[in-house]
Amino acid sequence: MADIETYRPRRSVLYMPGANDKALEKAKTLPADAIIFDTEDSVAPDMKIEARAKVAAAATSGAYGNRELTIRVNSLETEWFVDDLRSACEAGPSGIVVPKVSSVENVERVEAMMDSFGAPDHTRIWAMLETPSAMVHAVDIATCSERLAVLVMGTNDLARELHAALVPGRHPLLWGLSKCVNAARYAGKVILDGVFNDIRDPDGFAAECRQGAEMGFDGKTLIHPSQLDAANEAFAPSAEEVDHARRVIEAFEEGIAAGKGVIQLDGKMIENLHVANARRAIDMAEAIAALG
Ligand code: COA
Ligand code: MG
């Protein structure tokens, strides 16, 4: 399978309504690793055309520092999709977030249209997985396109389509979440967790961030600035983890020099695979530090 892209922090990925000038302005100073300028569900039908122009202008403004910029277009079956996609391709952000990707054919159609609209190579597909069909076809979707770089869980739509409840611990969604993480890892793609709707429940939000990080997600999509700090913390290795990672590498190298393939550190077995994890934690920490 394709190699995962060189680690780029995507701990916190903030949606904002593309027609909301205040949010577009505010995002220039927020500690988000990435931004999704939305024209889909957060924009009312009579504001779609205006939002399309606003998000293109924002994405090309150069005013968002080193935050990774993406545009969410309306879904393939809508009247806005073709013009949204054309406009986003011309703007050329890091990613075009495509909602409700449910099949390989959907991805192939988007990819062919992006080619015909002259999208730059650096503009990647971020496919939203948020339908029962996407859960069934997750692996095929994840592996069908080089341009597809990121999978994004759409947990609100998924719960709605499943007739499932959004509850603490998310047990009704765990099968789909796990399946998509597995598909992402198999395909060497990045995967982002879905949003947490209750912006006045920081404890519930922190718990869901921890759960997502434990499951293997690379980061979380967010809806409000108050969620940024907790996501940035949950999806970064802690200082203790980085310190432990350095000790693992050091101890293992000493072990190898002494002719051992497996050693113990603080009473725990360390093998080559633990060293790989340790290197990943250090790479992540360094990439995060480089953000400034
Ligand atoms: N991105 C950037 N700025 C945001 C923001 C976001 N997602 N959400 C809120 N803000 C800004 C507000 O504009 C406000 O700015 P100010 O300090 O300059 O006045 C500040 O943060 C505080 O906002 P607050 O009053 O707490 O929230 P609100 O009532 O204005 O908005 C929501 C609440 C949920 C409507 C809003 O957070 C939102 O639109 N989130 C994104 C929704 C979305 O994109 N959904 C689609 C994907 S699920
Ligand atoms: Mg959705």
Side-chain angles (χ1 to χ4, degrees), residues 14-15 25-26 32 78 223:
L14 180 64
Y15 284 102
E25 189 54 37
K26 180 131 183 138
T78 65
I223 54 168

Side-chain angles (χ1 to χ4, degrees), residues 40-41 72 100 128 130 154 157:
E40 197 215 13
D41 281 350
R72 183 164 78 163
K100 300 183 178 71
M128 292 204 66
E130 50 186 340
D157 272 303

Side-chain angles (χ1 to χ4, degrees), residues 12-16 27 30 32 34-37 221-225 228:
S12 51
V13 178
L14 180 64
Y15 284 102
M16 71 198 51
L30 293 171
I35 294 172
I36 300 176
F37 298 122
T221 48
L222 311 174
I223 54 168
H224 193 272
L228 287 163

Side-chain angles (χ1 to χ4, degrees), residues 118-159:
D121 288 346
H122 69 251
T123 299
R124 313 294 293 274
I125 298 171
W126 290 29
M128 292 204 66
L129 304 179
E130 50 186 340
T131 59
S133 173
M135 299 306 107
V136 170
H137 301 294
V139 176
D140 296 334
I141 291 169
T143 51
C144 74
S145 157
E146 285 291 320
R147 207 192 260 271
L148 191 158
V150 179
L151 302 172
V152 186
M153 297 307 307
T155 40
N156 281 332
D157 272 303
L158 182 60

Side-chain angles (χ1 to χ4, degrees), residues 57-134:
T60 50
S61 67
Y64 292 86
N66 58 9
R67 294 165 193 81
E68 184 173 21
L69 302 184
T70 71
I71 292 174
R72 183 164 78 163
V73 297
N74 286 282
S75 58
L76 284 105
E77 73 283 1
T78 65
E79 64 186 277
W80 303 289
F81 173 71
V82 174
D83 289 336
D84 282 353
L85 192 69
R86 182 185 293 111
S87 167
C89 289
E90 283 164 8
S94 178
I96 296 180
V97 183
V98 183
K100 300 183 178 71
V101 169
S102 294
S103 63
V104 167
E105 292 70 35
N106 285 171
V107 179
E108 287 173 348
R109 185 164 163 228
V110 171
E111 196 169 14
M113 287 173 76
M114 285 176 71
D115 288 344
S116 76
F117 292 146
D121 288 346
H122 69 251
T123 299
R124 313 294 293 274
I125 298 171
W126 290 29
M128 292 204 66
L129 304 179
E130 50 186 340
T131 59
S133 173

